[in-house]
Amino acid sequence: MHILHIVGARPNFMKAAPVIRALAAHDVIRQSLVHTGQHYDAAMSDVFFQQLGMPAPDCNLGVGSGTHAQQTAAVMQAFEPVLLERKPDLVLVYGDVNSTVAAALVCAKLGVRVGHVEAGLRSRDRTMPEEINRLVTDQLAELLFTPSADGDLNLKDEGIPAEKIFRVGNVMIDSLVKLLPVAQRQGRENLPGRYALVTLHRPANVDDSVVLKRILQSLLEVGQDLPVIFPAHPRTRKRIDDFGLNADRLQLLDPLSYLEFLRMQSHATVVITDSGGIQEETTYLGVPCLTLRENTERPVTVSLGTNVLVGRDPDKLRFELSRILAGKAKKGSIPPLWDGHAGERIAALVAGETRQPALSFSQVN
Ligand code: UD1
């Protein structure tokens, strides 16, 4: 059986790595890896491949940046001939980026089965490009691998048959579990005693000068209480420069490697972010997370984990930060099946070696 994986953007890499590794243990499986080139800077892509121990891609479509339509169309156009040539039995797509939906569309039109890893997440906010990608990809996929029970319910509510849905846990946490000891080997070297770690890249937060200015102002206020370390996504760095905003008193860094960012998260006093995956990683690490969004497609990080949605309300950010600094941070627990073995469960299902009693897996065999 030939399985082709599609990855394109930074958050895909730590999700695909454990699945590829787990599938390699099944000798009935042959694998190939296609990188769409959505993320192309070494700091956004190559370093993750090295640190996650991923094989080099068999092919890079080199699509690069563009508008949503341009980027999605470029992946579709470049991927179609690759799919026709390689003829995989199953294509695995990851997460919710433009490369994910584009590849799923190409497969669906050519009758190639798609498995979606990290299916079922919903923010119910269709202004988020990722929400559109999630909705469409899940409708096209034959196999939907969910990280948590809310994912199963969302899919069933959208009419997806139960026999296509497999709750396997969180593959991103697989990478974290494997590499946290490596990340922590360096200890707290060069890190302040207390600090806030910040990431910011959502279009809704960074593409509007007024909104971005207000967020930076809030972060400057945070900086009065503790150092703010801010590895900036290229998109955010560009917006700060384009809008002529002042971030001098924030420690703006280039994007960090997977291991360095993990080390910084694990020692942070608080993480302030608008990322999806970081809400999950902080929940696993038990580190307080304040999310600069009104909603989340990862509600277990709020119900069980350490995540608090502060939206764009500076008062709420201030209030939640003061609780954390006063030692009254929300205590969380690790959601079920976030145990470092989600990739193995996917591999076992795909290789047809295990079956969940209530679910049929006949599509793949
Ligand atoms: C994409 C994903 C988002 C994910 C994020 C993680 C979509 C719709 N969005 O957003 O869900 O959370 O990745 O990073 O797929 N750029 C570079 N170098 C790169 C990549 C991007 O300079 O290697 C710059 C370009 O100016 C580009 C901009 O970043 O226009 C945005 O990149 P893009 O891939 O469109 O979306 P992200 O914001 O990275």
Side-chain angles (χ1 to χ4, degrees):
M1 183 184 197
H2 176 194
I3 297 184
L4 186 150
H5 306 262
I6 284 279
V7 293
R10 186 167 60 176
N12 291 155
F13 308 139
M14 50 292 249
K15 294 170 192 166
V19 180
I20 294 171
R21 189 175 315 107
L23 281 166
H26 294 265
D27 49 18
V28 291
I29 304 279
R30 186 162 63 84
Q31 306 189 68
S32 48
L33 176 59
V34 173
H35 191 324
T36 65
Q38 177 174 345
H39 284 178
Y40 43 85
D41 286 355
M44 298 291 282
S45 179
D46 303 7
V47 67
F48 289 83
F49 273 72
Q50 288 153 20
Q51 295 189 338
L52 293 161
M54 286 174 76
D58 296 285
C59 140
N60 189 319
L61 306 178
V63 301
S65 302
T67 65
H68 285 274
Q70 285 166 347
Q71 197 174 51
T72 308
V75 173
M76 290 182 71
Q77 276 192 324
F79 180 48
E80 187 178 54
V82 174
L83 187 65
L84 287 169
E85 188 203 318
R86 291 184 177 258
K87 299 186 178 50
D89 300 293
L90 175 71
V91 171
L92 288 182
V93 298
Y94 296 83
D96 56 15
V97 302
N98 285 343
S99 299
T100 308
V101 68
L105 273 165
V106 174
C107 292
K109 298 266 179 168
L110 289 174
V112 177
R113 280 175 306 184
V114 176
H116 184 203
V117 178
E118 199 187 81
L121 299 187
R122 297 289 182 270
S123 65
R124 316 211 185 286
D125 174 2
R126 292 199 183 192
T127 64
M128 273 181 87
E130 293 82 2
E131 184 73 353
I132 308 296
N133 296 344
R134 291 189 277 261
L135 282 160
V136 175
T137 305
D138 284 341
Q139 283 297 325
L140 300 176
E142 292 291 334
L143 304 171
L144 297 107
F145 300 110
T146 64
S148 44
D150 55 288
D152 304 17
L153 291 176
N154 290 334
L155 294 173
K156 284 177 194 155
D157 282 352
E158 288 167 18
I160 291 175
E163 57 270 23
K164 291 184 173 183
I165 304 168
F166 303 88
R167 195 187 317 155
V168 293
N170 191 322
V171 286
M172 190 166 202
I173 298 301
D174 287 12
S175 285
L176 186 157
V177 168
K178 184 172 157 51
L179 290 171
L180 183 62
V182 183
Q184 287 189 322
R185 231 170 255 162
Q186 247 189 300
R188 301 189 62 112
E189 200 177 298
N190 303 328
L191 295 178
R194 293 192 323 165
Y195 58 94
L197 180 64
V198 172
T199 81
L200 198 63
H201 74 281
R202 295 254 154 251
N205 281 338
V206 305
D207 285 359
D208 182 304
S209 65
V210 177
V211 173
L212 181 56
K213 190 173 179 183
R214 234 185 4 234
I215 293 176
L216 291 181
Q217 187 55 42
S218 291
L219 295 175
L220 286 169
E221 280 182 32
V222 173
Q224 290 167 3
D225 288 319
L226 74 179
V228 175
I229 303 178
F230 185 176
H233 186 291
R235 168 191 212 109
T236 310
R237 170 84 72 167
K238 188 165 181 304
R239 295 290 184 259
I240 290 173
D241 293 346
D242 289 352
F243 300 149
L245 300 176
N246 181 0
D248 289 351
R249 283 191 287 123
L250 308 173
Q251 295 182 38
L252 227 58
L253 307 178
D254 287 338
L256 297 174
S257 71
Y258 181 72
L259 290 174
E260 183 59 355
F261 190 74
L262 198 50
R263 182 176 84 98
M264 286 208 183
Q265 274 193 94
S266 71
H267 293 297
T269 310
V270 56
V271 175
I272 302 173
T273 189
D274 62 3
S275 152
I278 293 170
Q279 297 171 48
E280 298 180 337
E281 291 173 339
T282 46
T283 274
Y284 185 88
L285 293 166
V287 170
C289 179
L290 302 180
T291 296
L292 301 172
R293 287 174 47 190
E294 306 293 342
N295 52 53
T296 179
E297 63 288 341
R298 291 158 161 97
V300 285
T301 62
V302 176
S303 58
L304 294 181
T306 55
N307 189 20
V308 178
L309 301 181
V310 295
R312 295 200 210 116
D313 178 352
D315 291 338
K316 192 140 193 234
L317 177 65
R318 224 174 282 128
F319 173 73
E320 293 295 340
L321 182 68
S322 67
R323 283 172 58 87
I324 293 165
L325 295 179
K328 293 186 191 145
K330 181 183 171 199
K331 300 276 174 278
S333 62
I334 297 175
L337 294 180
W338 291 24
D339 58 359
H341 299 290
E344 288 155 33
R345 286 189 279 272
I346 292 173
L349 283 162
V350 168
E353 289 189 10
T354 63
R355 282 154 213 273
Q356 298 186 0
L359 302 173
S360 125
F361 208 63
S362 53
Q363 302 97 316
V364 174
N365 292 310

